[in-house]
Amino acid sequence: RALAAGAREAAPLTISAPGGRVVWRIAATGAIARSDDGGATWREQASTDAALTSGSAVSPTVCWAAGRAGVIWRTTDGEHWQPVAPPTSSDLVGISATDASHAEVTAADGRRYETADGGRTWTATDT
């Protein structure tokens, strides 16, 4: 896709797992890549149709990513990404996870939702 004159592609988001060796790179285009050497080399893993804008890695195998129009993706094996049913179709501006089952997302309007079952169900939380 072409960019307008003077426009710049958004810098990719990097999400580091604890320890820093495993890092995921999420491009504004939705492409997901993984590095096992702290970002020296990258391996493409997945591509979504939506812009991902935030992420949370809790281990070298578990990472969550969220973005525009309520899109949420997750890997539980560090390699294969799957879409997660979102709690809202609003843009998601933040995600924080504690493990493969538990995460909280923040919508652009400030509403927050949490899951304890890997995104099968979501509960609105107080903001």
Side-chain angles (χ1 to χ4, degrees), residues 105-124:
V105 294
T106 303
D109 63 6
R111 290 178 296 154
R112 294 175 187 235
Y113 304 88
E114 63 184 9
T115 183
D117 58 12
R120 283 190 292 278
T121 61
W122 294 87
T123 304

Side-chain angles (χ1 to χ4, degrees), residues 1 6 11 43 45-46 48 64 69 72 87-88 99 124:
R1 98 183 173 247
R43 182 170 30 89
Q45 287 191 310
T48 73
W64 295 70
I72 303 171
T88 180
D99 59 34

